[in-house]
Amino acid sequence: MEYVGKAKTLRPSPDNSGFIMEFRDDLTAFNGEKKLALSGKGLINKKINSLIMQYLETKNIRTHWIKDLDDRSTLVHHLKMFPLECVVRNKAAGSLCKRLGLASGEVLNPTIFEFYLKKDELGDPFINESHIQTFGWATKDQVEQLKTASLKINTILSELFNACGCDLIDFKLEFGLTEDNSIVLADEITPDGCRIWDQKSGDILDKDRFRKDLGDVLESYELIYIRLFKHLSK
């Protein structure tokens, strides 16, 4: 069965060894209300995601990434996905500023972890652990594992982006279950789902450039890839 998301397409591989995840050029914001086809965006996001997923594997984070197939596609494991988004916030930005009246860029100490229900028609609402357990979206033990894994990934990626001259402001993660009920990182980690700012200039390098009509979206994504590639190639 094929699944077409906002910016990716998932379909079973011909040999049923997993799923083919294709990164498209679609760029969306505000729950799909703002849309644009940006040539080359799928290609660069696929490159960024592959670099990060492979790096996380070297840090003992299990991911659904198996291998690259072509310029836009990777082979990933089939998982039973949690209907949850795990959001980690290192500095205040976006909806958190609006919700709590915080100044953009305010350092959050300790880091904030949040759950959101992955449901487009509801706008991916903010939820808590009671909701998750009451409605059976994850067990209490799984909730703790999701939180622990998300915060561990945050430490790893914050250090990685710092080495590349960037601040990881916030980001979302999605997880799924293997056949033996192991929790595995899934979906993608790209500028589509992360806020990344240049440390020296403070320039926004992520999808907020599209949300806020700042321009140079693809150029900013390419800059992130170049910095990651150079650092990880050392």
Side-chain angles (χ1 to χ4, degrees):
M1 176 186 245
E2 183 175 271
Y3 170 75
V4 180
K6 294 188 184 77
K8 298 187 300 298
T9 300
L10 275 171
R11 60 183 181 276
S13 61
D15 61 359
N16 289 318
S17 60
F19 272 75
I20 296 172
M21 186 166 72
E22 178 188 356
F23 290 77
R24 306 195 313 273
D25 286 339
D26 300 292
L27 190 60
T28 67
F30 309 120
N31 201 30
E33 293 180 9
K34 185 177 183 180
K35 301 177 183 179
L36 175 71
L38 184 62
S39 179
K41 180 256 189 182
L43 186 150
I44 199 69
N45 262 3
K46 181 262 180 182
K47 288 182 176 180
I48 292 171
N49 184 67
S50 291
L51 280 179
I52 291 176
M53 290 291 179
Q54 291 177 80
Y55 180 71
L56 288 173
E57 290 278 359
T58 70
K59 299 296 183 178
N60 298 315
I61 300 294
R62 283 188 69 183
T63 79
H64 71 158
W65 188 92
I66 299 175
K67 64 179 180 179
D68 289 336
L69 297 176
D70 54 43
D71 287 346
R72 290 177 177 271
S73 302
T74 63
L75 183 67
V76 299
H77 291 290
H78 174 62
L79 302 173
K80 180 182 178 182
M81 297 296 293
F82 291 99
L84 305 170
E85 292 182 349
C86 301
V87 173
V88 182
R89 300 181 184 274
N90 297 307
K91 291 185 178 181
S95 64
L96 188 69
C97 292
K98 295 178 182 178
R99 198 189 328 150
L100 301 180
L102 302 175
S104 181
E106 181 175 333
V107 176
L108 304 172
N109 187 19
T111 294
I112 290 175
F113 175 86
E114 299 174 329
F115 279 115
Y116 292 79
L117 178 64
K118 188 170 175 61
K119 206 168 186 65
D120 288 344
E121 59 268 33
L122 298 178
D124 299 333
F126 174 67
I127 57 174
N128 61 35
E129 295 176 27
S130 293
H131 296 121
I132 293 172
Q133 292 178 39
T134 294
F135 297 111
W137 297 321
T139 66
K140 185 176 182 179
D141 180 61
Q142 287 170 339
V143 164
E144 290 304 313
Q145 290 185 63
L146 293 172
K147 290 168 64 176
T148 299
S150 296
L151 292 173
K152 182 178 179 180
I153 291 168
N154 178 55
T155 297
I156 295 168
L157 293 186
S158 292
E159 291 174 353
L160 173 62
F161 279 107
N162 180 65
C164 297
C166 298
D167 282 335
L168 181 59
I169 305 302
D170 61 33
F171 63 103
K172 75 174 182 69
L173 299 171
E174 295 183 30
F175 294 87
L177 290 170
T178 61
E179 289 185 355
D180 64 359
N181 285 324
S182 297
I183 293 177
V184 173
L185 177 65
D187 196 44
E188 64 176 289
I189 299 179
T190 70
D192 275 10
C194 304
R195 283 190 172 89
I196 302 166
W197 297 353
D198 182 83
Q199 286 181 342
K200 291 183 178 179
S201 66
D203 287 346
I204 292 169
L205 302 178
D206 53 76
K207 194 166 73 171
D208 271 353
R209 298 200 68 84
F210 175 60
R211 292 187 184 98
K212 299 180 179 183
D213 297 315
L214 298 176
D216 295 332
V217 177
L218 189 63
E219 291 82 356
S220 296
Y221 281 34
E222 289 173 340
L223 179 60
I224 291 172
Y225 170 71
I226 290 168
R227 291 187 184 186
L228 286 170
F229 182 79
K230 285 183 176 179
H231 176 71
L232 294 175
S233 297
K234 291 179 181 178

